[in-house]
């Protein structure tokens, strides 16, 4: 009798997996946003990033003054002319971001089970038992048992550079915490994040407005990344402010979702914003790890249905120090693209990473495949 076996056609020829990638044959339609900074601000490196596939340059004003970023931007302009590659400019606001204020260049060791005091007195020296911060209202926002995270560039996930604290007492404006894991704060920029607690600071701060009205207006920025967007009113307020600055009325606003409040009001934010940035660094702290992927998939679907571009962050963290991504990271990039992400945003990987050009090249190849 004739065989009734069903012949299954391979969706992908297995042999093709062994063939070399040809990014020039089918360039990635997914855009790559690269953050320019200490490791990626020379004309040579920026030219390499452009040739590797960077199409948006992000300027993060959480650190560095306008003169520093202006010099980087001038180098970008030279690189654009020499490579003949187009590149947009994105200004990333600071927003209600809490920072550990440390003036020392010496590493600060934090030991598990020890106590550390968070104080708004920025004149005090940062030590293993005392960390000055840039916000005087923390003691009113937290209570005993709350969780506070401190990490470099929005928490690498590395236990030696990120620390989790538990609030044990509030003493006036000081917050006393128990250190949950040992860590070493070895550099000067550390972000403080209180899990699922609203910080009573404006989304668009006075410093943000000053930077936008001076540096942003002078350079006619293409995109504004609105950090810590918590509701539609934040987007409307930013748009009203931009409309008062001449040509910046055409600047597109990308709302960065990085806390549970932004998640709760996601639909209304999506309606008002020109695009969405899924900031998985802070979201990975505010949400349980097993919930982050659910939000990512739901948010990407909503953005696709609304016809609004979506950007995913924190995809190849390990490439900050390594030449190749992990297998999980490579798959993460691919799944973001398959789920409908329009762009991948690289932060520390290009800002201070050892291999900014190689990182953009590898992410671009994954997107193209």
């Amino acid at each position: 009798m004739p065989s009734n076996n069903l012949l299954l056609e391979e969706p992908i020829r297995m042999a093709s997996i062994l063939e070399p990638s040809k990014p020039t044959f089918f360039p990635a339609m997914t855009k790559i946003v690269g953050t320019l900074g200490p490791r990626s601000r020379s004309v040579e490196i920026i030219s390499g990033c452009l040739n590797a596939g960077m199409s948006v340059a992000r300027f993060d004003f959480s650190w560095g003054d306008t003169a520093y970023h202006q010099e980087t931007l001038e180098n970008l302009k030279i690189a654009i002319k020499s490579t003949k590659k187009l590149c947009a400019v994105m200004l990333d606001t600071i927003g209600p971001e809490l920072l550990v204020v440390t003036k020392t260049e010496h590493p600060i060791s934090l030991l598990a089970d020890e106590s550390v005091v968070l104080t708004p007195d920025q004149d005090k020296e940062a030590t293993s038992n005392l960390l000055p911060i840039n916000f005087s209202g923390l003691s009113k926002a937290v209570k005993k048992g709350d969780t506070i995270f401190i990490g470099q560039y929005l928490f690498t996930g590395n236990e030696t550079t990120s620390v989790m604290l538990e609030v044990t007492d509030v003493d006036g404006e000081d917050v006393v915490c128990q250190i949950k894991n040992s860590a070493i704060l070895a550099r000067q920029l550390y972000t403080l994040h209180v899990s699922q607690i609203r910080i009573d600071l404006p989304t668009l701060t006075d410093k943000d407005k000053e930077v936008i009205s001076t540096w942003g207006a002078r350079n006619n920025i293409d995109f504004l990344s609105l950090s810590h967007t918590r509701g539609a009113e934040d987007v409307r307020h930013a748009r009203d402010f931009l409309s008062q600055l001449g040509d910046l009325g055409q600047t597109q606003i990308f709302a960065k979702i990085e806390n549970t409040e932004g998640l709760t009001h996601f639909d209304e934010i999506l309606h008002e914003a020109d695009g969405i940035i899924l900031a998985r660094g802070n979201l990975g702290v505010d949400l349980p790890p097993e919930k982050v992927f659910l939000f990512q998939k739901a948010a990407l679907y909503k953005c696709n249905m609304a016809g609004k571009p979506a950007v995913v962050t924190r995809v190849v963290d390990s490439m900050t120090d390594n030449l190749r991504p992990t297998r999980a990271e490579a798959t993460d990039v691919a799944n973001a693209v398959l789920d409908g992400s329009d762009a991948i945003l690289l932060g520390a990987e290009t800002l201070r990473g050892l291999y900014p050009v190689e990182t953009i090249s590898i992410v671009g190849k994954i997107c193209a495949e």
Side-chain angles (χ1 to χ4, degrees), residues 251-313:
T251 298
Q252 293 196 3
I253 298 175
F254 275 55
K256 194 190 292 186
I257 309 300
E258 41 195 325
N259 50 46
T260 52
E261 193 170 358
L263 186 155
T264 302
H265 301 112
F266 182 82
D267 289 349
E268 64 179 56
I269 293 172
L270 177 60
H271 178 75
E272 289 292 335
D274 297 300
I276 296 291
I277 298 175
L278 308 180
R280 302 190 307 174
N282 272 342
L283 278 173
V285 173
D286 246 21
L287 293 174
E290 69 273 15
K291 297 291 187 179
V292 177
F293 85 93
L294 287 174
F295 171 68
Q296 176 177 322
K297 287 184 176 293
L300 288 177
Y301 176 80
K302 287 176 178 285
C303 289
N304 292 166
M305 292 298 99
K308 302 284 183 77
V311 183
V312 172
T313 72

Side-chain angles (χ1 to χ4, degrees), residues 55 104 151 207 209 219 223 248 255 263 267 269 274 297 342:
S55 57
T104 179
K207 184 175 181 180
K209 291 180 178 179
N219 296 295
F223 301 106
L248 291 193
L263 186 155
D267 289 349
I269 293 172
D274 297 300
K297 287 184 176 293
D342 299 279

Side-chain angles (χ1 to χ4, degrees), residues 233-263:
E233 185 57 36
D234 292 339
V235 182
R236 287 191 288 267
H237 176 66
R239 199 178 301 283
D240 289 342
F241 181 72
L242 290 177
S243 66
Q244 301 170 23
L245 300 174
D247 292 339
L248 291 193
Q250 301 299 315
T251 298
Q252 293 196 3
I253 298 175
F254 275 55
K256 194 190 292 186
I257 309 300
E258 41 195 325
N259 50 46
T260 52
E261 193 170 358
L263 186 155

